[in-house]
Amino acid sequence: SIVPSDSGTAIYIEDITTRRRRRQSVERLENERNRTAIIDQVQSEILGELVSASSREGIAETICRGLGETELYEFAWVGARDIGSGELSVQAVAGDSGQIATAIRDAVADDTVSTLEEHAVVNGQLQTAQPLAESERVPEAVRIAGFADGVQSALAIPLVYGSSVHGVVGIYADGAEAFSDRERTSFETLGKVAGFGVTAARNRNLLLSDSIAEITFEVSGSSVLADVSRLFDTELTLGGLVPSGDA
């Protein structure tokens, strides 16, 4: 406040630092609450999807729709892991992807680089890049595309059930510290719920199958299995198979 007087002018200044910090803390907590509510809603939708979902594509679409089509995040995608090769393939995409979607697709297909999502699949643990531009685990092309799109944070959530990693969810946001500890904990739960959903969908397909295939394997005399059989003087029996894809 400026108050003129006969001898000059008096200027009164009020220190509002504490008030401003309190307001910022309230806004940050409110944003975290909104984000956590969205994550919880997605988990509820996935659980509902288990009732009717016959493939993991439906679960992937549910995740992308719940996360990518919200104002809190710029872009979300789901990658499916091939059981045979372990490679990722883009299964669903949602949000204002801009240049970063193309950069991620190219990086996933490039064997010379590894994306944040591929690190999450290999480690089976949640991976973060905050800020995105300074993370060496993110390919340079993705960092450049993220800068162009205004994306500053990334989170990679593995879809885990037991010891199996079925795929990954990649989420990108505009804030440099977009994912708090509370959000990361919620996303870890989301990854486990989605991983269970994929497993349940696969088991449902197997249970509802109306055909049975009998396969005979012929192993040459120089193979490891033949050597093991001769070494222990016993017959090896195939106890089970892990299906690839949703077949």
Side-chain angles (χ1 to χ4, degrees), residues 62-230:
T62 299
I63 296 174
C64 279
R65 184 174 62 251
L67 298 176
E69 297 178 0
T70 171
E71 295 180 357
L72 297 179
Y73 306 113
E74 299 295 317
F75 167 59
W77 73 283
V78 177
R81 186 187 190 190
D82 181 76
I83 295 179
S85 64
E87 297 180 353
L88 282 179
S89 60
V90 178
Q91 198 167 37
V93 176
D96 185 12
S97 56
Q99 299 181 31
I100 197 168
T102 301
I104 290 174
R105 287 180 183 272
D106 293 341
V108 169
D110 189 349
D111 295 334
T112 64
V113 297
S114 295
T115 63
L116 194 69
E117 289 81 3
E118 288 171 312
H119 286 295
V121 168
V122 171
N123 298 326
Q125 297 179 348
L126 194 118
Q127 304 289 316
T128 57
Q130 299 184 135
L132 180 69
E134 298 180 7
S135 177
E136 296 182 354
R137 294 178 300 164
V138 178
E140 182 179 5
V142 176
R143 282 181 278 160
I144 294 174
F147 179 80
D149 292 344
V151 174
Q152 302 182 62
S153 294
L155 185 69
I157 311 143
L159 306 183
V160 180
Y161 181 72
S163 59
S164 300
V165 181
H166 295 299
V168 66
V169 180
I171 307 174
Y172 294 78
D174 58 1
E177 295 289 337
F179 304 104
S180 65
D181 292 340
R182 181 181 302 176
E183 286 180 84
R184 291 197 292 269
T185 300
S186 296
F187 275 122
E188 284 181 343
T189 303
L190 173 62
K192 293 177 181 178
V193 171
F196 170 76
V198 173
T199 302
R202 284 181 170 177
N203 291 341
R204 182 184 296 112
N205 288 344
L206 293 176
L207 290 173
L208 297 178
S209 176
D210 57 359
S211 62
I212 300 176
E214 183 178 80
I215 303 176
T216 301
F217 295 92
E218 181 177 346
V219 182
S220 65
S222 60
S223 70
V224 175
L225 293 178
D227 292 340
V228 171
S229 178
R230 283 194 297 267

Side-chain angles (χ1 to χ4, degrees), residues 35-58:
R35 292 175 186 266
T36 303
I38 289 177
I39 298 170
D40 292 341
Q41 178 62 31
V42 174
Q43 290 187 36
S44 298
E45 290 182 3
I46 292 174
L47 289 173
E49 186 77 17
L50 294 180
V51 177
S52 58
S54 59
S55 67
R56 60 202 220 175
E57 284 80 3

